[in-house]
C-alpha cells in the first residue's frame, strides 16, 4: 500500500470506530480488506481505496470498519470478574438500589454475546425473583449483534470456559449439534448496535457497565472520553468493569478501584 492509502485507511478507522492503528499494522489491514476488495470487483486494495474515497456508501464504510474489529470473546471470560459479580458487586448493587428492586446492566462491546449471556446465567442462578434485571448488550458490529440475538454457539465456543452444568441447564442442542441458548436467558437481554464513540445518553442510566477488552484498541484520548461518558450514565455508587489488562486513565476523581475486585471501579 502507498503511504497515503495507509494513512487514509488508518484515519477512516479512527474516525468511525476509535481503532488506533499504526503503519506497522499494514499486513493486518491488507489481510482483512482484500476479501472486501475482491467482493467489490476491485483488482487490488488501491482500487478499493479509490472507491472509498470517491464513491463511499454507508454499507461499504461499515463493512470495512467491521472487518477490522477483533471479536475474540468466550463465556465466563477470565473467570474472576464473574465470581466477584456474584459475591461482591451484585449484593452491593442491591443494597444501593434499596426499594427500587430493579438493576440495569450494560455490556458495552458484547461481541458475539458470551459476556451478557454469562451475566444472565449468574443472575438466574441467584434466584431472586423479587428483583428485576435489565441487560442491554451492544456492539458496533451488526454481524456480532445478529449472532448474539440468535444465541447459537458451536461445540468449540461452548467448551471455552462454560461449566458443564450451565451448558446443560441453559442451552439445548439443535439438529446441527450446535447449542442454542434457552429463551429464559435470551429474553433477559436486549441487543442493539451502539458505537462507543457516539452519544449514549439515550440508553438511560446503569448500575453496572461492562466495557471489557475494547478500550485496548483505542488511543488514550478516546479511552478517557469513553470512560467519562460512561461515568455520566452510571448510577451513584454504581460500577464500571474493564478487562483484565485494562485500567482507567484519568477519570480518577470519579472512579475508585474496588479493593479485591480487579477491573471493577466504583463511581464515587
Ligand atoms: C475483543 S471484543 C470484546 C468482547 C467482550 N467484551 C469480552 O471481553 O469478551 C471487542 C468488541 O468491541 C467492539 N468494538 C470495537 N470498537 C467499537 C466501538 N467503537 N463501539 C462499540 N463496539 C466496538 C468490536 O466489534 C468487538 O466485538
Amino acid at each position: 500500500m502507498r503511504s497515503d492509502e495507509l494513512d487514509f485507511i488508518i484515519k477512516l478507522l479512527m474516525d468511525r470506530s476509535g481503532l488506533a492503528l499504526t503503519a506497522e499494522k499494514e499486513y493486518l489491514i491488507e489481510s482483512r480488506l482484500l476479501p472486501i476488495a475482491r467482493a467489490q470487483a476491485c483488482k487490488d486494495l488501491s482500487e478499493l481505496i479509490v472507491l472509498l474515497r470517491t464513491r463511499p456508501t454507508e454499507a461499504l464504510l461499515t463493512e470495512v470498519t467491521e472487518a477490522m474489529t477483533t471479536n475474540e470473546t468466550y463465556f465466563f471470560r477470565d473467570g474472576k470478574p464473574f465470581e466477584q459479580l456474584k459475591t461482591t458487586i451484585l449484593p452491593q448493587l442491591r443494597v444501593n438500589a434499596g426499594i427500587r428492586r430493579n438493576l440495569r446492566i450494560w455490556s458495552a462491546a458484547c461481541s458475539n454475546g458470551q459476556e451478557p449471556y454469562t451475566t444472565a446465567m449468574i443472575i438466574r442462578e441467584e434466584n431472586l425473583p423479587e428483583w428485576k434485571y435489565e441487560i442491554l448488550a451492544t456492539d458496533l458490529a451488526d454481524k456480532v449483534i445478529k449472532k448474539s440475538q440468535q444465541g447459537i454457539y458451536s461445540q468449540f465456543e461452548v467448551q471455552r470456559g462454560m461449566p458443564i452444568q450451565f451448558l446443560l441447564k441453559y442451552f439445548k442442542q439443535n439438529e446441527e449439534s450446535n447449542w442454542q441458548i434457552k429463551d429464559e436467558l435470551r429474553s433477559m437481554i436486549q441487543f442493539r448496535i451502539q458505537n462507543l464513540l457516539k452519544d449514549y445518553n439515550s440508553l438511560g442510566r446503569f448500575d453496572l457497565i461492562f466495557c471489557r477488552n475494547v478500550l485496548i484498541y483505542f488511543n488514550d484520548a478516546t479511552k478517557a472520553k469513553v470512560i467519562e461518558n460512561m461515568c455520566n450514565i452510571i448510577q451513584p455508587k454504581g460500577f464500571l468493569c474493564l478487562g483484565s489488562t485494562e485500567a482507567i486513565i484519568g477519570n480518577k476523581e470519579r472512579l475508585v478501584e474496588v479493593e479485591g475486585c480487579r477491573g471493577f471501579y466504583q463511581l464515587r
Side-chain angles (χ1 to χ4, degrees):
M1 276 171 108
R2 292 196 318 261
S3 69
D4 67 297
E5 292 173 338
L6 195 55
D7 290 348
F8 170 80
I9 288 289
I10 289 174
K11 178 164 185 325
L12 184 142
L13 295 168
M14 169 62 82
D15 291 347
R16 291 186 67 93
S17 71
L19 178 62
L21 286 179
T22 54
E24 292 99 75
K25 289 284 159 67
E26 183 178 350
Y27 73 94
L28 183 71
I29 296 175
E30 286 181 353
S31 66
R32 299 266 182 102
L33 299 193
L34 265 174
I36 299 179
R38 285 196 201 103
Q40 292 289 327
C42 298
K43 77 172 188 311
D44 54 21
L45 270 188
S46 294
E47 256 190 42
L48 177 69
I49 289 160
V50 170
L51 195 60
L52 286 165
R53 277 179 157 148
T54 56
R55 282 173 289 132
T57 60
E58 188 51 36
L60 183 58
L61 291 166
T62 300
E63 201 181 345
V64 165
T65 311
E66 287 195 14
M68 292 306 303
T69 58
T70 300
N71 305 119
E72 164 70 359
T73 187
Y74 48 92
F75 292 101
F76 292 85
R77 185 172 189 169
D78 302 331
K80 266 255 153 66
F82 293 103
E83 271 171 42
Q84 289 158 347
L85 176 67
K86 182 174 138 189
T87 57
T88 310
I89 305 297
L90 286 174
Q92 176 74 59
L93 284 177
R94 283 193 292 268
V95 171
N96 295 353
I99 54 164
R100 179 157 52 99
R101 300 221 166 247
N102 172 30
L103 293 177
R104 296 191 77 226
I105 298 172
W106 179 22
S107 171
C110 69
S111 187
N112 290 314
Q114 284 88 333
E115 182 178 276
Y117 283 126
T118 302
T119 306
M121 284 185 255
I122 301 276
I123 288 170
R124 205 72 187 181
E125 286 297 299
E126 290 199 306
N127 196 17
L128 294 173
E130 67 277 24
W131 281 84
K132 187 170 173 278
Y133 291 89
E134 290 172 58
I135 304 174
L136 175 69
T138 66
D139 199 280
L140 168 87
D142 181 50
K143 61 174 189 239
V144 297
I145 288 299
K146 289 214 169 87
K147 174 165 165 106
S148 301
Q149 268 164 338
Q150 274 187 326
I152 299 173
Y153 297 93
S154 66
Q155 184 70 34
F156 174 72
E157 286 170 313
V158 295
Q159 267 168 356
R160 295 182 73 196
M162 173 92 72
I164 183 79
Q165 70 274 22
F166 284 1
L167 178 62
L168 299 175
K169 190 165 172 185
Y170 294 113
F171 292 72
K172 49 185 189 249
Q173 211 162 12
N174 67 18
E175 282 150 19
E176 291 87 41
S177 297
N178 290 321
W179 294 88
Q180 164 83 65
I181 293 260
K182 288 187 181 168
D183 283 344
E184 63 177 285
L185 275 199
R186 263 202 305 169
S187 62
M188 291 171 68
I189 306 172
Q190 271 196 328
F191 291 98
R192 78 164 89 137
I193 292 175
Q194 172 70 47
N195 187 338
L196 292 178
L197 304 190
K198 299 271 164 71
D199 177 73
Y200 28 84
N201 285 320
S202 65
L203 303 179
R205 296 186 83 81
F206 295 92
D207 298 283
L208 166 64
I209 299 179
F210 285 106
C211 182
R212 301 168 75 222
N213 305 301
V214 60
L215 297 179
I216 35 168
Y217 301 106
F218 298 165
N219 65 23
D220 284 357
T222 310
K223 260 183 220 175
K225 182 82 193 127
V226 166
I227 295 176
E228 180 68 22
N229 289 343
M230 289 184 169
C231 286
N232 292 338
I233 58 164
I234 295 177
Q235 294 280 12
K237 299 278 170 205
F239 295 92
L240 172 68
C241 180
L242 303 184
S244 59
T245 59
E246 298 165 319
I248 54 164
I249 40 155
N251 323 94
K252 297 228 161 86
E253 67 297 340
R254 301 195 72 183
L255 292 166
V256 60
E257 191 161 12
V258 182
E259 224 184 296
C261 294
R262 205 163 168 270
F264 282 99
Y265 294 84
Q266 188 167 29
L267 201 70
R268 286 182 196 269

